[in-house]
């Protein structure tokens, strides 16, 4: 199978985040097993989805991990020109959900497997494919926890998120949470007998806006746009109709932090302000939704030098989006981003990747294999 055949099969699996993924994980496992690679499916605690880890070469020698996620965001937008889960080719463009984010990367590295398997690798190349990245990097921590039993400590992790095949050394960390305020319902003509959850939420929302404004004063990191941490309210929901006192209101928040700042700490002032509402009779719930740390690989790191040699370009200092790379770094592994495609095409109708981008990623993977060969 060539890279286009593989991408066609991968796109056909509607592996939306948060759903069972046995079909796509099982297909990749079977494909890799044909090439005498060591493959392990790693079921997550949910029971219906798994991470996958595979190795070409010796497990007990430090090598490199190629990391990607098998899940995609939903494809319910009406603007799709064709079925999002059927690969469509028009010239250089290959359309389908996940082509750029990030089944294109998976297809390219899988297409390189026969070449890698034919080499006598002195250092191994591992594949680490995760689930539920698109809903907060929920699957990969379980994979990372198993790495000590699966391989020697790697020399580096290459996360293949779309970067135009230019390596990237950094990204911000992120934390997201849902605040739920429960009051007491009643007729709007007697507000004195109820507890208006929307009014109560207004105070917490005001606090979030104030925190967002405060963060614009720094600390600063010039590698990022914007160069400071940020906080935003993304979703507010509450109430039933205008003449009913709303007894519930929810607020979804996210914070993005420059390296050196704990993203969860940026949400703490909002959490404290909301919890103070309990004194007024409201029931307050705070539910963390997702979190991952920032990535900050030093400019002089050996992994950065390797990617500079393989790509022919100096790695970028940082990007605005987040990845699983920060979690690998937090676990003690050097990590860097480098994958085919453009992030601006992701999460949109008619998502696509270029055939030339897939071919270039396959060549880069094979070049890495040549570096690892005896």
């Amino acid at each position: 199978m060539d890279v286009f055949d593989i991408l066609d099969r991968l796109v056909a699996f509607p592996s939306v985040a948060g759903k069972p993924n046995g079909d796509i994980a099982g297909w990749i496992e079977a494909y890799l097993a044909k090439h005498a690679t060591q493959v392990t499916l790693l079921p997550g605690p949910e029971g219906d989805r798994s991470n996958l880890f595979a190795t070409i070469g010796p497990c007990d020698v430090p090598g490199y991990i190629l990391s990607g996620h098998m899940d995609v965001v939903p494809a319910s937008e009406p603007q799709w020109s064709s079925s999002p889960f059927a690969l469509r080719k028009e010239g250089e463009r290959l359309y389908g959900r996940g082509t750029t984010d990030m089944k294109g990367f998976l297809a390219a590295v899988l297409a390189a497997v026969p070449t890698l398997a034919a080499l006598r690798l002195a250092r191994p190349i591992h594949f680490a494919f995760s689930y539920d990245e698109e809903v907060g990097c929920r699957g990969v921590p379980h994979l990372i926890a198993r790495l000590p039993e699966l391989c020697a400590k790697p020399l580096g992790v290459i996360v293949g998120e779309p970067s135009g095949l230019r390596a990237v050394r950094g990204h911000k960390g992120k934390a997201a949470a849902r605040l739920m305020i429960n009051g007491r319902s009643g007729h709007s003509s007697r507000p004195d007998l109820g507890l208006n959850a929307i009014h109560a939420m207004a105070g917490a929302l005001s606090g979030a806006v104030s925190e967002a404004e405060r963060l614009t004063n720094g600390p600063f990191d010039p590698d990022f746009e914007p160069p400071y941490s940020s906080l935003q309210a993304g979703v507010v929901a509450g109430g039933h109709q205008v003449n009913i006192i709303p007894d519930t209101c929810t607020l979804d928040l996210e914070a993005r932090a420059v390296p050196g700042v704990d993203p969860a700490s940026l949400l703490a002032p909002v959490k404290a302000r909301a919890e103070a509402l309990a004194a007024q009779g409201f029931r307050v719930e705070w539910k963390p939704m997702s979190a991952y740390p920032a990535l900050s690989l030093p400019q002089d790191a050996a992994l950065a030098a390797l990617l500079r040699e393989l790509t022919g370009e100096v790695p970028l200092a940082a990007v605005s989006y987040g990845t699983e790379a920060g979690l690998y770094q937090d676990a003690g592994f050097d990590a860097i981003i480098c994958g085919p495609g453009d992030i601006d095409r992701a999460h949109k109708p008619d998502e696509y990747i270029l055939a030339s981008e897939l071919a270039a990623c396959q060549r880069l993977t094979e070049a890495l294999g040549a570096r690892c060969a005896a």
Side-chain angles (χ1 to χ4, degrees):
M1 299 180 75
D2 64 19
V3 65
F4 307 110
D5 296 326
I6 296 171
L7 183 59
D8 181 72
R9 295 299 301 270
L10 295 179
V11 169
F13 294 112
S15 52
V16 173
K19 305 291 186 181
N21 77 336
D23 51 2
I24 187 171
W27 187 88
I28 294 172
E29 178 189 28
Y31 171 85
L32 288 169
K34 292 177 183 177
H35 299 283
T37 55
Q38 305 168 60
V39 191
T40 305
L41 281 181
L42 304 167
E46 301 83 1
D48 62 359
R49 64 207 77 160
S50 299
N51 295 304
L52 180 147
F53 189 83
T55 298
I56 301 174
C59 288
D60 57 349
V61 176
Y64 297 95
I65 291 177
L66 301 178
S67 169
H69 59 84
M70 297 176 282
D71 60 301
V72 297
V73 296
S76 55
E77 307 97 332
Q79 296 92 346
W80 280 90
S81 301
S82 58
S83 171
F85 297 110
L87 191 67
R88 173 171 60 92
K89 184 175 182 181
E90 287 188 7
E92 265 275 281
R93 295 187 177 191
L94 298 156
Y95 293 92
R97 174 58 83 219
T99 48
T100 281
D101 189 12
M102 57 183 300
K103 290 179 177 179
F105 173 76
L106 300 187
V109 300
L110 290 174
V113 165
T115 297
L116 299 178
L119 297 170
R120 295 179 57 195
L121 296 184
R123 295 194 179 278
I125 293 178
H126 310 283
F127 302 95
F129 298 163
S130 65
Y131 68 89
D132 285 5
E133 188 271 350
E134 295 288 8
V135 286
C137 300
R138 295 178 184 173
V140 77
H142 306 297
L143 188 158
I144 291 172
R146 298 285 299 275
L147 287 181
E149 67 191 73
L150 295 168
C151 65
K153 184 177 179 179
L155 297 171
V157 180
I158 302 169
V159 178
E161 290 282 1
S163 68
L165 274 186
R166 185 168 183 181
V168 180
R169 295 186 291 105
H171 65 65
K172 291 181 180 180
K174 176 184 172 180
R178 174 167 294 163
L179 170 61
M180 296 164 281
I181 295 177
N182 295 273
R184 185 168 59 248
S185 187
H187 197 285
S188 61
S189 65
R190 290 300 308 271
D192 53 313
L193 299 180
L195 287 172
N196 190 309
I198 293 178
H199 288 186
M201 184 63 80
L205 183 56
S206 176
V209 172
S210 296
E211 284 299 306
E213 293 174 350
R214 183 186 64 81
L215 291 173
T216 64
N217 296 319
F220 298 102
D221 188 325
D223 288 337
F224 293 92
E225 296 180 352
Y228 47 81
S229 301
S230 62
L231 187 155
Q232 80 148 13
V235 179
V236 182
H240 306 286
Q241 63 184 52
V242 72
N243 61 347
I244 299 174
I245 298 170
D247 59 349
T248 61
C249 189
T250 63
L251 170 64
D252 290 355
L253 297 157
E254 72 158 31
R256 294 181 182 263
V258 296
V261 176
D262 176 12
S265 71
L266 303 180
L267 298 177
V270 182
K271 182 174 184 282
R273 186 164 181 167
E275 289 176 340
L277 293 167
Q280 301 175 34
F282 293 94
R283 184 163 58 88
V284 178
E285 298 177 56
W286 181 270
K287 180 182 179 182
M289 297 167 63
S290 63
Y292 55 77
L295 171 70
S296 183
L297 182 70
Q299 187 174 359
D300 60 354
L303 184 61
L306 172 64
L307 267 294
R308 179 176 181 173
E309 293 174 15
L310 291 175
T311 65
E313 294 187 272
V314 176
L316 292 173
V319 289
S320 298
Y321 59 87
T323 76
E324 296 172 331
L327 289 161
Y328 280 104
Q329 180 179 265
D330 196 52
F333 312 124
D334 279 357
I336 200 165
I337 304 163
C338 188
D342 188 329
I343 193 67
D344 286 341
R345 304 177 202 149
H347 300 191
K348 295 178 180 178
D350 286 347
E351 177 183 353
Y352 71 89
I353 197 165
L354 300 179
S356 58
E357 292 170 335
L358 294 176
C361 185
Q362 182 176 343
R363 288 195 301 270
L364 186 147
T365 304
E366 292 169 351
L368 176 64
R371 292 288 298 267
C372 295

